PDB file of all heavy atoms in Angstrom:
ATOM      1  N   SER A  20     104.218 108.072 109.158  1.00 70.00           N
ATOM      2  CA  SER A  20     103.873 108.866 110.338  1.00 70.00           C
ATOM      3  C   SER A  20     103.962 110.346 110.012  1.00 70.00           C
ATOM      4  O   SER A  20     104.571 110.741 109.013  1.00 70.00           O
ATOM      5  CB  SER A  20     104.799 108.546 111.515  1.00 70.00           C
ATOM      6  OG  SER A  20     106.013 109.258 111.398  1.00 70.00           O
ATOM      7  N   GLY A  21     103.340 111.141 110.874  1.00 67.00           N
ATOM      8  CA  GLY A  21     103.382 112.580 110.698  1.00 67.00           C
ATOM      9  C   GLY A  21     104.726 113.188 111.024  1.00 67.00           C
ATOM     10  O   GLY A  21     104.960 114.373 110.787  1.00 67.00           O
ATOM     11  N   SER A  22     105.636 112.380 111.586  1.00 70.00           N
ATOM     12  CA  SER A  22     106.966 112.872 111.928  1.00 70.00           C
ATOM     13  C   SER A  22     108.015 112.421 110.910  1.00 70.00           C
ATOM     14  O   SER A  22     109.194 112.346 111.211  1.00 70.00           O
ATOM     15  CB  SER A  22     107.367 112.400 113.326  1.00 70.00           C
ATOM     16  OG  SER A  22     107.334 110.990 113.402  1.00 70.00           O
ATOM     17  N   ASN A  23     107.542 112.106 109.693  1.00 69.00           N
ATOM     18  CA  ASN A  23     108.424 111.740 108.580  1.00 69.00           C
ATOM     19  C   ASN A  23     109.214 110.462 108.818  1.00 69.00           C
ATOM     20  O   ASN A  23     110.384 110.372 108.468  1.00 69.00           O
ATOM     21  CB  ASN A  23     109.391 112.890 108.243  1.00 69.00           C
ATOM     22  CG  ASN A  23     108.691 114.016 107.516  1.00 69.00           C
ATOM     23  OD1 ASN A  23     107.621 113.822 106.949  1.00 69.00           O
ATOM     24  ND2 ASN A  23     109.285 115.193 107.534  1.00 69.00           N
ATOM     25  N   ALA A  24     108.569 109.449 109.405  1.00 77.00           N
ATOM     26  CA  ALA A  24     109.185 108.126 109.507  1.00 77.00           C
ATOM     27  C   ALA A  24     108.887 107.384 108.205  1.00 77.00           C
ATOM     28  O   ALA A  24     107.747 107.338 107.750  1.00 77.00           O
ATOM     29  CB  ALA A  24     108.623 107.354 110.692  1.00 77.00           C
ATOM     30  N   ILE A  25     109.930 106.812 107.581  1.00 79.00           N
ATOM     31  CA  ILE A  25     109.787 106.148 106.299  1.00 79.00           C
ATOM     32  C   ILE A  25     109.977 104.647 106.460  1.00 79.00           C
ATOM     33  O   ILE A  25     110.929 104.191 107.092  1.00 79.00           O
ATOM     34  CB  ILE A  25     110.827 106.677 105.292  1.00 79.00           C
ATOM     35  CG1 ILE A  25     110.704 108.193 105.134  1.00 79.00           C
ATOM     36  CG2 ILE A  25     110.666 106.003 103.931  1.00 79.00           C
ATOM     37  CD1 ILE A  25     109.368 108.667 104.615  1.00 79.00           C
ATOM     38  N   LEU A  26     109.046 103.864 105.883  1.00 81.00           N
ATOM     39  CA  LEU A  26     109.144 102.418 105.888  1.00 81.00           C
ATOM     40  C   LEU A  26     109.630 101.964 104.516  1.00 81.00           C
ATOM     41  O   LEU A  26     109.026 102.288 103.495  1.00 81.00           O
ATOM     42  CB  LEU A  26     107.781 101.784 106.176  1.00 81.00           C
ATOM     43  CG  LEU A  26     107.702 100.257 106.107  1.00 81.00           C
ATOM     44  CD1 LEU A  26     108.543  99.642 107.226  1.00 81.00           C
ATOM     45  CD2 LEU A  26     106.245  99.793 106.202  1.00 81.00           C
ATOM     46  N   THR A  27     110.742 101.234 104.489  1.00 80.00           N
ATOM     47  CA  THR A  27     111.272 100.724 103.231  1.00 80.00           C
ATOM     48  C   THR A  27     111.973  99.405 103.491  1.00 80.00           C
ATOM     49  O   THR A  27     112.059  98.941 104.632  1.00 80.00           O
ATOM     50  CB  THR A  27     112.232 101.744 102.573  1.00 80.00           C
ATOM     51  OG1 THR A  27     112.567 101.308 101.247  1.00 80.00           O
ATOM     52  CG2 THR A  27     113.511 101.907 103.389  1.00 80.00           C
ATOM     53  N   ASN A  28     112.469  98.768 102.434  1.00 77.00           N
ATOM     54  CA  ASN A  28     113.128  97.471 102.563  1.00 77.00           C
ATOM     55  C   ASN A  28     114.574  97.616 103.015  1.00 77.00           C
ATOM     56  O   ASN A  28     115.238  98.610 102.705  1.00 77.00           O
ATOM     57  CB  ASN A  28     113.096  96.730 101.216  1.00 77.00           C
ATOM     58  CG  ASN A  28     111.692  96.297 100.838  1.00 77.00           C
ATOM     59  OD1 ASN A  28     110.991  95.671 101.619  1.00 77.00           O
ATOM     60  ND2 ASN A  28     111.276  96.654  99.641  1.00 77.00           N
ATOM     61  N   GLN A  29     115.065  96.588 103.693  1.00 77.00           N
ATOM     62  CA  GLN A  29     116.437  96.626 104.194  1.00 77.00           C
ATOM     63  C   GLN A  29     117.450  96.665 103.050  1.00 77.00           C
ATOM     64  O   GLN A  29     118.514  97.261 103.171  1.00 77.00           O
ATOM     65  CB  GLN A  29     116.713  95.409 105.078  1.00 77.00           C
ATOM     66  CG  GLN A  29     118.105  95.438 105.723  1.00 77.00           C
ATOM     67  CD  GLN A  29     118.359  94.251 106.611  1.00 77.00           C
ATOM     68  OE1 GLN A  29     117.521  93.361 106.735  1.00 77.00           O
ATOM     69  NE2 GLN A  29     119.507  94.211 107.239  1.00 77.00           N
ATOM     70  N   HIS A  30     117.113  96.024 101.907  1.00 74.00           N
ATOM     71  CA  HIS A  30     118.069  96.043 100.814  1.00 74.00           C
ATOM     72  C   HIS A  30     118.117  97.409 100.128  1.00 74.00           C
ATOM     73  O   HIS A  30     119.007  97.663  99.326  1.00 74.00           O
ATOM     74  CB  HIS A  30     117.770  94.940  99.791  1.00 74.00           C
ATOM     75  CG  HIS A  30     116.483  95.115  99.046  1.00 74.00           C
ATOM     76  ND1 HIS A  30     115.314  94.517  99.457  1.00 74.00           N
ATOM     77  CD2 HIS A  30     116.185  95.814  97.932  1.00 74.00           C
ATOM     78  CE1 HIS A  30     114.351  94.832  98.611  1.00 74.00           C
ATOM     79  NE2 HIS A  30     114.841  95.617  97.684  1.00 74.00           N
ATOM     80  N   CYS A  31     117.170  98.292 100.461  1.00 77.00           N
ATOM     81  CA  CYS A  31     117.218  99.658  99.933  1.00 77.00           C
ATOM     82  C   CYS A  31     118.112 100.537 100.810  1.00 77.00           C
ATOM     83  O   CYS A  31     118.939 101.297 100.314  1.00 77.00           O
ATOM     84  CB  CYS A  31     115.815 100.254  99.885  1.00 77.00           C
ATOM     85  SG  CYS A  31     114.694  99.469  98.727  1.00 77.00           S
ATOM     86  N   VAL A  32     117.909 100.462 102.108  1.00 79.00           N
ATOM     87  CA  VAL A  32     118.694 101.240 103.068  1.00 79.00           C
ATOM     88  C   VAL A  32     119.300 100.245 104.053  1.00 79.00           C
ATOM     89  O   VAL A  32     118.642  99.807 104.990  1.00 79.00           O
ATOM     90  CB  VAL A  32     117.817 102.283 103.797  1.00 79.00           C
ATOM     91  CG1 VAL A  32     118.657 103.099 104.763  1.00 79.00           C
ATOM     92  CG2 VAL A  32     117.122 103.200 102.799  1.00 79.00           C
ATOM     93  N   GLU A  33     120.551  99.882 103.823  1.00 78.00           N
ATOM     94  CA  GLU A  33     121.159  98.769 104.543  1.00 78.00           C
ATOM     95  C   GLU A  33     121.727  99.141 105.901  1.00 78.00           C
ATOM     96  O   GLU A  33     121.851  98.296 106.772  1.00 78.00           O
ATOM     97  CB  GLU A  33     122.271  98.163 103.681  1.00 78.00           C
ATOM     98  CG  GLU A  33     121.754  97.574 102.365  1.00 78.00           C
ATOM     99  CD  GLU A  33     122.882  97.087 101.483  1.00 78.00           C
ATOM    100  OE1 GLU A  33     124.046  97.449 101.766  1.00 78.00           O
ATOM    101  OE2 GLU A  33     122.609  96.349 100.522  1.00 78.00           O
ATOM    102  N   ASN A  34     122.101 100.407 106.097  1.00 79.00           N
ATOM    103  CA  ASN A  34     122.723 100.776 107.365  1.00 79.00           C
ATOM    104  C   ASN A  34     122.468 102.251 107.648  1.00 79.00           C
ATOM    105  O   ASN A  34     121.917 102.981 106.821  1.00 79.00           O
ATOM    106  CB  ASN A  34     124.226 100.466 107.349  1.00 79.00           C
ATOM    107  CG  ASN A  34     124.929 101.093 106.157  1.00 79.00           C
ATOM    108  OD1 ASN A  34     124.861 102.304 105.954  1.00 79.00           O
ATOM    109  ND2 ASN A  34     125.589 100.265 105.351  1.00 79.00           N
ATOM    110  N   GLN A  35     122.863 102.684 108.838  1.00 80.00           N
ATOM    111  CA  GLN A  35     122.579 104.050 109.263  1.00 80.00           C
ATOM    112  C   GLN A  35     123.290 105.083 108.407  1.00 80.00           C
ATOM    113  O   GLN A  35     122.751 106.156 108.127  1.00 80.00           O
ATOM    114  CB  GLN A  35     122.980 104.232 110.728  1.00 80.00           C
ATOM    115  CG  GLN A  35     122.511 105.550 111.343  1.00 80.00           C
ATOM    116  CD  GLN A  35     121.000 105.644 111.447  1.00 80.00           C
ATOM    117  OE1 GLN A  35     120.354 104.704 111.885  1.00 80.00           O
ATOM    118  NE2 GLN A  35     120.429 106.766 111.024  1.00 80.00           N
ATOM    119  N   ALA A  36     124.497 104.778 107.947  1.00 78.00           N
ATOM    120  CA  ALA A  36     125.241 105.732 107.123  1.00 78.00           C
ATOM    121  C   ALA A  36     124.500 106.007 105.819  1.00 78.00           C
ATOM    122  O   ALA A  36     124.383 107.161 105.381  1.00 78.00           O
ATOM    123  CB  ALA A  36     126.641 105.195 106.833  1.00 78.00           C
ATOM    124  N   VAL A  37     123.959 104.949 105.196  1.00 77.00           N
ATOM    125  CA  VAL A  37     123.177 105.124 103.968  1.00 77.00           C
ATOM    126  C   VAL A  37     121.899 105.891 104.284  1.00 77.00           C
ATOM    127  O   VAL A  37     121.480 106.781 103.542  1.00 77.00           O
ATOM    128  CB  VAL A  37     122.849 103.757 103.338  1.00 77.00           C
ATOM    129  CG1 VAL A  37     121.898 103.920 102.156  1.00 77.00           C
ATOM    130  CG2 VAL A  37     124.129 103.069 102.882  1.00 77.00           C
ATOM    131  N   CYS A  38     121.282 105.550 105.403  1.00 79.00           N
ATOM    132  CA  CYS A  38     120.036 106.199 105.820  1.00 79.00           C
ATOM    133  C   CYS A  38     120.217 107.706 105.989  1.00 79.00           C
ATOM    134  O   CYS A  38     119.400 108.504 105.538  1.00 79.00           O
ATOM    135  CB  CYS A  38     119.567 105.574 107.127  1.00 79.00           C
ATOM    136  SG  CYS A  38     117.865 105.938 107.598  1.00 79.00           S
ATOM    137  N   ASP A  39     121.328 108.090 106.607  1.00 75.00           N
ATOM    138  CA  ASP A  39     121.585 109.502 106.875  1.00 75.00           C
ATOM    139  C   ASP A  39     121.811 110.311 105.602  1.00 75.00           C
ATOM    140  O   ASP A  39     121.697 111.537 105.616  1.00 75.00           O
ATOM    141  CB  ASP A  39     122.803 109.656 107.789  1.00 75.00           C
ATOM    142  CG  ASP A  39     122.529 109.156 109.203  1.00 75.00           C
ATOM    143  OD1 ASP A  39     121.356 109.041 109.565  1.00 75.00           O
ATOM    144  OD2 ASP A  39     123.503 108.867 109.924  1.00 75.00           O
ATOM    145  N   ASN A  40     122.155 109.640 104.501  1.00 74.00           N
ATOM    146  CA  ASN A  40     122.477 110.345 103.265  1.00 74.00           C
ATOM    147  C   ASN A  40     121.527 110.007 102.125  1.00 74.00           C
ATOM    148  O   ASN A  40     121.868 110.137 100.954  1.00 74.00           O
ATOM    149  CB  ASN A  40     123.917 110.024 102.851  1.00 74.00           C
ATOM    150  CG  ASN A  40     124.939 110.640 103.796  1.00 74.00           C
ATOM    151  OD1 ASN A  40     125.211 111.813 103.744  1.00 74.00           O
ATOM    152  ND2 ASN A  40     125.476 109.808 104.683  1.00 74.00           N
ATOM    153  N   THR A  41     120.323 109.579 102.484  1.00 81.00           N
ATOM    154  CA  THR A  41     119.329 109.223 101.479  1.00 81.00           C
ATOM    155  C   THR A  41     118.373 110.390 101.243  1.00 81.00           C
ATOM    156  O   THR A  41     117.961 111.072 102.184  1.00 81.00           O
ATOM    157  CB  THR A  41     118.531 107.980 101.912  1.00 81.00           C
ATOM    158  OG1 THR A  41     119.422 106.873 101.996  1.00 81.00           O
ATOM    159  CG2 THR A  41     117.434 107.647 100.934  1.00 81.00           C
ATOM    160  N   GLU A  42     118.046 110.615  99.994  1.00 80.00           N
ATOM    161  CA  GLU A  42     117.104 111.675  99.626  1.00 80.00           C
ATOM    162  C   GLU A  42     115.766 111.030  99.251  1.00 80.00           C
ATOM    163  O   GLU A  42     115.726 110.059  98.520  1.00 80.00           O
ATOM    164  CB  GLU A  42     117.644 112.452  98.433  1.00 80.00           C
ATOM    165  CG  GLU A  42     116.740 113.587  97.975  1.00 80.00           C
ATOM    166  CD  GLU A  42     117.354 114.346  96.815  1.00 80.00           C
ATOM    167  OE1 GLU A  42     118.574 114.601  96.845  1.00 80.00           O
ATOM    168  OE2 GLU A  42     116.621 114.668  95.879  1.00 80.00           O
ATOM    169  N   PHE A  43     114.671 111.587  99.779  1.00 77.00           N
ATOM    170  CA  PHE A  43     113.355 111.012  99.565  1.00 77.00           C
ATOM    171  C   PHE A  43     112.507 111.940  98.701  1.00 77.00           C
ATOM    172  O   PHE A  43     112.462 113.139  98.940  1.00 77.00           O
ATOM    173  CB  PHE A  43     112.637 110.796 100.905  1.00 77.00           C
ATOM    174  CG  PHE A  43     113.356 109.851 101.823  1.00 77.00           C
ATOM    175  CD1 PHE A  43     114.358 110.302 102.675  1.00 77.00           C
ATOM    176  CD2 PHE A  43     113.056 108.505 101.811  1.00 77.00           C
ATOM    177  CE1 PHE A  43     115.026 109.429 103.509  1.00 77.00           C
ATOM    178  CE2 PHE A  43     113.731 107.623 102.645  1.00 77.00           C
ATOM    179  CZ  PHE A  43     114.717 108.084 103.504  1.00 77.00           C
ATOM    180  N   GLY A  44     111.842 111.363  97.681  1.00 72.00           N
ATOM    181  CA  GLY A  44     110.930 112.138  96.845  1.00 72.00           C
ATOM    182  C   GLY A  44     109.508 111.840  97.239  1.00 72.00           C
ATOM    183  O   GLY A  44     108.996 110.742  96.977  1.00 72.00           O
ATOM    184  N   PHE A  45     108.822 112.777  97.880  1.00 65.00           N
ATOM    185  CA  PHE A  45     107.460 112.562  98.364  1.00 65.00           C
ATOM    186  C   PHE A  45     106.420 112.812  97.270  1.00 65.00           C
ATOM    187  O   PHE A  45     106.663 113.571  96.337  1.00 65.00           O
ATOM    188  CB  PHE A  45     107.169 113.489  99.558  1.00 65.00           C
ATOM    189  CG  PHE A  45     107.990 113.180 100.766  1.00 65.00           C
ATOM    190  CD1 PHE A  45     109.250 113.720 100.923  1.00 65.00           C
ATOM    191  CD2 PHE A  45     107.502 112.338 101.755  1.00 65.00           C
ATOM    192  CE1 PHE A  45     110.016 113.440 102.033  1.00 65.00           C
ATOM    193  CE2 PHE A  45     108.266 112.055 102.876  1.00 65.00           C
ATOM    194  CZ  PHE A  45     109.518 112.601 103.010  1.00 65.00           C
ATOM    195  N   ASP A  46     105.240 112.205  97.425  1.00 59.00           N
ATOM    196  CA  ASP A  46     104.125 112.445  96.522  1.00 59.00           C
ATOM    197  C   ASP A  46     104.508 112.136  95.079  1.00 59.00           C
ATOM    198  O   ASP A  46     104.210 112.892  94.166  1.00 59.00           O
ATOM    199  CB  ASP A  46     103.646 113.892  96.648  1.00 59.00           C
ATOM    200  CG  ASP A  46     102.232 114.082  96.127  1.00 59.00           C
ATOM    201  OD1 ASP A  46     101.561 113.069  95.852  1.00 59.00           O
ATOM    202  OD2 ASP A  46     101.798 115.235  95.976  1.00 59.00           O
ATOM    203  N   ALA A  47     105.186 111.006  94.878  1.00 53.00           N
ATOM    204  CA  ALA A  47     105.748 110.699  93.564  1.00 53.00           C
ATOM    205  C   ALA A  47     105.018 109.566  92.868  1.00 53.00           C
ATOM    206  O   ALA A  47     105.597 108.873  92.062  1.00 53.00           O
ATOM    207  CB  ALA A  47     107.232 110.348  93.706  1.00 53.00           C
ATOM    208  N   TYR A  48     103.718 109.368  93.174  1.00 50.00           N
ATOM    209  CA  TYR A  48     102.981 108.284  92.534  1.00 50.00           C
ATOM    210  C   TYR A  48     102.906 108.515  91.036  1.00 50.00           C
ATOM    211  O   TYR A  48     102.612 109.612  90.578  1.00 50.00           O
ATOM    212  CB  TYR A  48     101.555 108.171  93.094  1.00 50.00           C
ATOM    213  CG  TYR A  48     100.807 107.002  92.484  1.00 50.00           C
ATOM    214  CD1 TYR A  48     100.933 105.729  93.029  1.00 50.00           C
ATOM    215  CD2 TYR A  48     100.037 107.178  91.346  1.00 50.00           C
ATOM    216  CE1 TYR A  48     100.293 104.651  92.454  1.00 50.00           C
ATOM    217  CE2 TYR A  48      99.400 106.091  90.771  1.00 50.00           C
ATOM    218  CZ  TYR A  48      99.521 104.835  91.321  1.00 50.00           C
ATOM    219  OH  TYR A  48      98.902 103.782  90.739  1.00 50.00           O
TER     220      TYR A  48
END
C-alpha cells in the first residue's frame, strides 16, 4: 500500500514487539 503496509509471513514477524523493531530494506530486488 501507499501507506507503507508490509505483507510478510508470520514466521518472519511473529508478534507486535518484533514488528515494532523490524527494519525494512525497500527496492532490494
Side-chain angles (χ1 to χ4, degrees):
S20 82
S22 58
N23 285 340
I25 303 299
L26 175 66
T27 189
N28 291 309
Q29 184 179 2
H30 66 266
C31 294
V32 181
E33 297 175 346
N34 53 56
Q35 190 66 46
V37 173
C38 194
D39 291 341
N40 291 283
T41 296
E42 180 178 318
F43 299 86
F45 294 86
D46 200 10
Y48 183 86

